[in-house]
Amino acid sequence: MQLSSSHALSPLGWDSHWEAEFAPYARQGLLPGRVVRVDRGQCDVLTADGVVRADTAFVTPNDPMRVLCTGDWAAVDPEGGSPRYVRAYLPRRTAFVRSTSSKRSDGQILAANVDHAVVAVSLAVELDLGRVERFLALAWESGAQPVVVLSKADLVPDPATLAHLVQDVETTAPGVPVLTVSALHGDGLDVLRALTGTGTAVLLGQSGAGKSTLANALVGTDVMDVRAARDVDGKGRHTTTTRNLLPLPGGGVLIDTPGLRGVGLYDAETGVGQVFSEIEELAARCRFHDCSHGSEPGCAVAAAVDSGELPVRRLESYRKLVRENQWIVAKTDARLRAEIRKDWKRKGAEGRAAMRAKRGPWT
């Protein structure tokens, strides 16, 4: 793609905010551009003069949260130098971050400066609502607006069954649009194109969710390799191995990501609260502000479970994600880790005291 002037960066998301942020680098003679993809030590940056292959030596710190990422706005050397370097990148508006491992507390940035987080969920396999909640927690935490796309909708020909699946996801994703799409037949693509036609969207999901097929449909050409999912379990084969920024013909840009086997939370307290907003609202009505929503008297959450208003699965999923997020945060914050341990000990002591009172003094 050849861009004739810096104003031609507007379709990639360039605006007055980015222009003001870039002003100090412009005075140094550097060029603005958006990072299309990042490889080992190199990256592709889309500038007004076209795609520039640049070295990332100056933007590769030890902190994994500060390395250059697809979607960043970068300051690149002008033409003439060899190699050309990315000298800096602009402060991010949003960032989609996950933990690199369930046993570590390092964060990994998957995409930067994203407006819409499109979570692709395949209808070729049984819905995993817990995984949807996990993706949505990270999406809300990123600062982007989540959207759930139920892909391969042509594999569910019965309208009643499809409506039931949509309702299940809508219950799991309060405040999030849920779309059904069949890239094979084109159903639902117009709605998705309208949504991704403004700003930057990142496409997320497991291997086999149909992300590359969706990307090709949105771009209008086969820019991403596509392979069939395994018949035995519906899982894909990681056809996408890097994060790629793709300009869309109708406006906006799309960042396609590799299939994610693990989706670990990373300091996502706000995101978890947003996904489980109904539980947070109920918790505000509990008698005790530190209610664990177990056997405490006056627990509005437990009462909602007992009445059937709140599914047990939702509460269990909420507890799981809260515990996981607390563990990750505690690994990176010694003070909070000590507070959490103190709280655990206090609640453990209260539980033992309650048990002794129930059984009597001679047990």
Side-chain angles (χ1 to χ4, degrees):
M1 171 180 286
Q2 190 72 24
L3 301 171
S4 59
S5 70
S6 60
H7 292 292
L9 291 174
S10 297
L12 303 180
W14 185 260
D15 55 25
S16 58
H17 165 84
W18 294 120
E19 188 170 1
E21 290 283 347
F22 192 80
Y25 302 107
R27 289 192 288 270
Q28 299 174 32
L30 299 175
L31 300 178
R34 195 153 194 201
V35 178
V36 174
R37 60 179 288 165
V38 179
D39 302 309
R40 291 181 180 272
Q42 299 281 318
C43 69
D44 291 336
V45 182
L46 188 51
T47 72
D49 298 324
V51 177
V52 172
R53 187 68 170 169
D55 195 295
T56 62
F58 292 102
V59 284
T60 310
N62 292 328
D63 183 354
M65 294 289 289
R66 298 174 59 199
V67 299
L68 194 70
C69 178
T70 300
D72 276 324
W73 285 100
V76 188
D77 285 338
E79 189 175 2
S82 181
R84 295 170 73 173
Y85 288 92
V86 172
R87 299 292 174 172
Y89 63 84
L90 302 184
R92 294 161 176 150
R93 281 177 173 171
T94 62
F96 191 95
V97 183
R98 67 163 180 173
S99 65
T100 56
S101 168
S102 61
K103 299 182 182 300
R104 300 176 59 186
S105 57
D106 297 332
Q108 178 190 22
I109 297 180
L110 298 180
N113 301 313
V114 171
D115 301 297
H116 307 286
V118 180
V119 180
V121 180
S122 173
L123 291 179
V125 295
E126 184 177 355
L127 276 178
D128 185 343
L129 296 177
R131 182 169 290 272
V132 173
E133 289 162 344
R134 185 176 289 272
F135 268 112
L136 291 176
L138 293 177
W140 280 121
E141 192 68 34
S142 75
Q145 167 64 52
V147 180
V148 176
V149 170
L150 300 180
S151 63
K152 307 182 183 182
D154 51 283
L155 298 180
V156 187
D158 179 42
T161 301
L162 185 59
H164 179 72
L165 293 171
V166 171
Q167 184 179 20
D168 283 347
V169 177
E170 287 177 338
T171 302
T172 298
V176 176
V178 179
L179 311 178
T180 57
V181 173
S182 169
L184 180 64
H185 297 151
D187 299 335
L189 283 175
D190 288 346
V191 178
L192 185 57
R193 284 195 186 98
L195 188 146
T196 57
T198 58
T200 299
V202 61
L203 194 52
L204 305 154
Q206 288 183 285
S207 295
K211 298 188 304 302
S212 295
T213 302
L214 287 174
N216 289 339
L218 292 171
V219 175
T221 185
D222 291 342
V223 292
M224 306 303 298
D225 184 27
V226 177
R227 301 178 193 173
R230 296 196 301 252
D231 291 335
V232 65
D233 55 10
K235 292 184 178 179
R237 294 175 171 81
H238 286 297
T239 56
T240 303
T241 57
T242 60
R243 294 179 286 280
N244 302 276
L245 186 144
L246 309 169
L248 299 177
V253 295
L254 179 71
I255 298 176
D256 191 21
T257 63
L260 301 176
R261 288 193 180 94
V263 194
L265 298 186
Y266 186 83
D267 195 6
E269 179 181 0
T270 301
V272 172
Q274 189 78 35
V275 174
F276 298 93
S277 56
E278 81 278 29
I279 297 180
E280 298 269 304
E281 292 172 4
L282 287 167
R285 302 204 297 266
C286 290
R287 181 182 300 179
F288 303 108
H289 70 87
D290 59 347
C291 183
S292 64
H293 316 309
S295 58
E296 294 94 337
C299 176
V301 175
V305 172
D306 291 341
S307 68
E309 176 187 353
L310 177 66
V312 174
R313 190 207 65 80
R314 282 282 282 175
L315 179 57
E316 291 176 346
S317 183
Y318 171 73
R319 286 171 169 162
K320 178 180 179 179
L321 294 187
V322 166
R323 286 195 302 268
E324 179 181 328
N325 191 66
Q326 285 181 334
W327 184 88
I328 287 291
V329 173
K331 291 283 286 184
T332 58
D333 189 326
R335 179 189 58 80
L336 181 58
R337 182 168 63 247
E339 290 180 358
I340 291 174
R341 287 183 179 276
K342 182 179 179 181
D343 187 53
W344 286 346
K345 289 181 179 180
R346 179 182 62 79
K347 289 182 177 178
E350 290 175 353
R352 290 191 294 273
M355 188 62 68
R356 286 195 297 269
K358 180 178 180 180
R359 293 180 176 176
W362 308 110
T363 56

